[in-house]
Amino acid sequence: MYKEEYERWLGFDLQDPDLKPELLKIKDNDEEIKERFAVSLSFGTAGLRGTLGAGTNRMNIWVVRQATQGMANWVKTQGGTQTVAIAYDSRLKSDTFAKEAAGVLAANGISVRIYDALMPVPALSFATRYYKCTAGIMVTASHNPSKYNGYKAYGPDGCQMTDEAAAVVYDEIQKTDILTGAKTMSFAEGVEKGMIHFVGDDCKKAFYEAIEACQVRPGLCKTAGLKLVYSPLNGTGLVPVTKVLGDMGIDDITIVPEQEYPSGYFTTCPYPNPEIFEALEYGLKLAKETGADLMLATDPDADRVGIAMKCPDGSYELVSGNEMGALLLDYICAGRIEKGTMPQKPVAVMSIVSTPLADAIAEHYGVELRHVLTGFKWIGDQIARLEADGEEDRFIFGFEESYGYLGGTYCRDKDAVIGSMLICEMAAYYRSIGSSIKQRLEEIYSEYGRYLNKVDSFEFPGLSGMDKMAGIMSSLRENPPKDFAGIAVTEVIDYTKPEETGLPKANVLIYRLEDGSTAIVRPSGTEPKIKTYFTTKGADIAEAQAKKDTLAEAVKPILS
């Protein structure tokens, strides 16, 4: 079957000049043909994501057209404005895929609002809400290596698509022949016919104003003298991040030159993820040379932000997503109480795999901290619930351990632009009172205890990878571990049982241990890997690390 599909592609006008040579190159390699055509890229709540190339199991214009026809069929059943917002990042072919999607929507009689230049995820979420769109599309593969691209689908609320909507779109995709099934129209024709419009300056201005309205201590940065090194990692962050920081009064910004401008090749960081050291190496070198207070990096679609903070001895230390979530929660609470802007019955939200240190901080400030499934749409869902009750002002902050933060209700996905703004404002504030982020973090640990949160990943590549992952998760449920390294398991929380957790069904297992540690096992929703999240607590970092190492060694054989 896959060989027949390969032959069909080979004899078709594929329109993209990169595709036919790739197919000819593999004509005698059954394994390569099978890898491209035996399955199709699956469409879920995170949309599509895959390697660029030819075939049903690759990201290309045909897969994008097919997916967009499925989206169009769903949009046409939804009523509303029958409009879809589109944005795209700096990845290879992102602009092409965005225009292809716009053409399919236009051919289906659906209006399009597309950005005229690359913009980040939060700008797409904002535009979807601003124009009261029926849906949104973001062309990106987030922080994956350069050979990947993807397609995130959004609902009318600006959150990533719900499970129910994604299932309908997936069914519609299945009914659409990949090469002949999608209605198409050129981008130029869509513009001429008035079906495709660019996002207006009014929307862009409103986006920046909404972010800047979330400052905790407005005006503080103008006199704080913060010195910053920033890297957009060749992605979408350069314009929005520097615009917002400049408006706040932070003008001493040194941009990492090799990573300044958009490029889908990511030659300086093969894995452009601000969670990992390799992506920050150029920025750290520049921070040391310039003596910056802070080194900041945003990922290609600018929904995640990572930092390195300056320590008293002049060295730089990376701050984890959990630590930054705790720091920002603490800063926002203290600052809003001081300024008299804390709402009645404030609400913060974090994912179930994030640090319990945040629970202790929230309790200290009298903030209700809600726990949701992994995926920022669940944080967006909590904002929507508050909004439905006319109480969206109660929301003060949301975060997940994978470096995603949101400090307002103007969009419903994680936002590295507001994350950058709040981090820089926090750094400027501590600098202005003779302190630092590092010093405040140590104070938090001395007050609440030395928490350590670490994530390990186990990769399962190839066509059999997903089956192996499913087998491991089944085995853990059928034969639940009684202990890890001799430390008894006191409670197992299985998120496939919503009647017990009170949350929607999810493939997550949490093990609470006798010594107060937790171990969480969760397959990634976007990559062929199982992630393990460990939380340990000790009198000092060495004790917490030793506990984590012991747990990790005990878990390794189960997942290998």
Side-chain angles (χ1 to χ4, degrees):
M1 194 72 179
Y2 63 87
K3 284 186 176 175
E4 290 170 19
E5 187 64 7
Y6 166 75
E7 292 295 340
R8 189 165 81 105
W9 278 58
L10 203 54
F12 202 81
D13 176 13
L14 295 176
Q15 296 175 27
D16 181 337
D18 293 335
L19 301 182
K20 190 65 70 72
E22 181 184 339
L23 293 178
L24 289 169
K25 192 175 176 184
I26 62 167
K27 67 183 175 68
D28 297 320
N29 190 327
D30 185 66
E31 200 54 44
E32 290 284 357
I33 294 170
K34 186 177 181 181
E35 218 272 317
R36 285 166 176 76
F37 290 96
V39 296
S40 297
L41 280 185
S42 59
F43 184 98
T45 56
L48 298 164
R49 193 174 299 187
T51 308
L52 289 160
T56 56
N57 193 30
R58 292 285 187 270
M59 278 298 296
N60 51 65
I61 60 172
W62 302 98
V63 166
V64 168
R65 287 177 182 178
Q66 182 191 38
T68 309
Q69 185 62 53
M71 276 274 284
N73 293 351
W74 174 78
V75 166
K76 285 188 275 192
T77 67
Q78 295 303 296
T81 60
Q82 295 289 290
T83 302
V84 175
I86 300 178
Y88 56 93
D89 70 3
S90 62
R91 287 185 173 272
L92 303 175
K93 299 190 186 289
S94 278
D95 56 342
T96 300
F97 293 163
K99 288 177 178 176
E100 288 287 349
V104 171
L105 292 166
N108 279 274
I110 296 166
S111 297
V112 173
R113 280 284 185 172
I114 186 170
Y115 279 98
D116 57 1
L118 74 174
M119 282 292 274
V121 157
L124 181 276
S125 178
F126 183 85
T128 302
R129 294 175 59 76
Y130 185 85
Y131 289 113
K132 297 179 170 54
C133 294
T134 314
I137 295 167
M138 178 75 202
V139 180
T140 178
S142 191
H143 53 277
N144 281 57
S146 61
K147 66 180 181 178
Y148 285 85
N149 211 327
Y151 178 112
K152 289 182 182 175
Y154 287 76
D157 55 358
C159 282
Q160 284 193 44
M161 197 167 258
T162 63
D163 293 342
E164 296 78 17
V168 173
V169 173
Y170 181 67
D171 285 344
E172 293 298 327
I173 290 170
Q174 298 295 96
K175 297 174 193 170
T176 305
D177 183 275
I178 192 164
L179 296 181
T180 61
K183 295 178 183 175
T184 58
M185 178 186 291
S186 75
F187 186 80
E189 187 183 351
V191 173
E192 284 165 17
K193 289 189 170 175
M195 296 303 297
I196 298 173
H197 297 270
F198 290 107
V199 169
D201 288 343
D202 55 332
C203 178
K204 296 174 191 172
K205 183 172 180 242
F207 173 61
Y208 293 127
E209 286 174 349
I211 291 171
E212 290 168 20
C214 296
Q215 291 174 69
V216 178
R217 293 181 169 93
L220 171 88
C221 293
K222 288 181 168 64
T223 56
L226 188 75
K227 196 175 178 65
L228 177 70
V229 164
Y230 169 56
S231 172
L233 295 179
N234 302 117
T236 58
L238 179 65
V239 172
V241 170
T242 55
K243 154 93 177 134
V244 168
L245 295 184
D247 288 350
M248 289 170 69
I250 299 174
D251 51 19
D252 191 348
I253 307 174
T254 304
I255 311 290
V256 178
E258 300 89 346
Q259 298 171 339
E260 181 170 4
Y261 296 112
S263 167
Y265 292 100
F266 307 122
T267 50
T268 60
C269 51
Y271 200 71
N273 182 354
E275 295 180 58
I276 62 171
F277 174 76
E278 288 77 13
L280 307 185
E281 276 188 285
Y282 280 76
L284 285 166
K285 183 170 178 287
L286 200 54
K288 287 167 188 165
E289 288 171 7
T290 59
D293 299 297
L294 194 64
M295 189 265 144
L296 188 87
T298 53
D299 69 341
D301 59 350
D303 60 358
R304 299 170 195 246
V305 54
I307 75 151
M309 59 185 174
K310 192 177 187 181
C311 299
D313 64 359
S315 66
Y316 289 84
E317 185 180 313
L318 270 56
V319 182
S320 74
N322 273 315
E323 288 175 327
M324 184 50 70
L327 278 160
L328 285 173
L329 179 63
D330 172 72
Y331 174 73
I332 290 167
C333 290
R336 291 189 68 163
I337 288 167
E338 177 198 308
K339 292 290 183 183
T341 57
M342 185 68 110
Q344 291 290 312
K345 298 191 291 183
V347 172
V349 190
M350 75 171 186
S351 63
I352 56 173
V353 299
S354 299
T355 180
L357 175 56
D359 291 283
I361 293 168
E363 186 180 355
H364 173 81
Y365 288 108
V367 171
E368 178 192 346
L369 182 59
R370 298 181 181 179
H371 298 76
V372 296
L373 296 177
T374 307
F376 222 86
K377 67 178 179 181
W378 298 113
I379 295 175
D381 176 61
Q382 290 296 319
I383 301 173
R385 291 179 188 213
L386 291 168
E387 186 179 36
D389 294 334
E391 297 181 332
E392 69 178 285
D393 287 348
R394 288 176 62 197
F395 175 80
I396 60 166
F397 185 57
F399 83 97
E400 56 185 12
E401 55 76 39
S402 55
Y403 293 60
Y405 317 104
L406 181 62
T409 62
Y410 58 91
C411 83
R412 301 296 157 87
D413 209 337
K414 50 189 177 281
D415 180 5
V417 185
I418 197 168
S420 299
M421 181 189 85
L422 290 170
I423 290 166
C424 288
E425 186 195 303
M426 176 172 66
Y429 170 70
Y430 291 134
R431 190 180 194 281
S432 73
I433 61 169
S435 181
S436 66
I437 292 179
K438 171 68 174 172
Q439 189 174 324
R440 181 58 192 151
L441 183 60
E442 292 305 323
E443 289 166 3
I444 287 171
Y445 280 137
S446 65
E447 189 172 344
Y448 301 104
R450 172 59 81 166
Y451 287 79
L452 180 73
N453 307 95
K454 292 284 185 178
V455 184
D456 292 343
S457 294
F458 297 82
E459 296 201 13
F460 299 87
L463 291 173
S464 62
M466 299 308 267
D467 291 336
K468 285 181 186 170
M469 287 163 60
I472 288 168
M473 296 305 291
S474 292
S475 176
L476 282 168
R477 290 189 169 95
E478 288 161 15
N479 307 293
K482 301 280 193 297
D483 68 89
F484 292 109
I487 307 161
V489 174
T490 56
E491 184 185 14
V492 181
I493 305 169
D494 186 349
Y495 283 84
T496 60
K497 299 173 180 176
E499 67 280 3
E500 294 179 15
T501 65
L503 293 175
K505 192 174 178 180
N507 193 5
V508 181
L509 288 164
I510 294 184
Y511 301 94
R512 300 202 190 283
L513 307 184
E514 198 172 34
D515 69 347
S517 303
T518 59
I520 302 174
V521 182
R522 169 188 164 262
S524 169
T526 55
E527 299 168 280
K529 59 175 65 170
I530 291 179
K531 293 184 175 183
T532 53
Y533 304 77
F534 299 102
T535 297
T536 54
K537 191 177 173 185
D540 55 31
I541 190 71
E543 185 183 337
Q545 183 67 50
K547 286 184 178 180
K548 183 269 168 183
D549 292 342
T550 302
L551 283 178
E553 280 303 310
V555 168
K556 199 180 289 181
I558 300 170
L559 299 185
S560 54

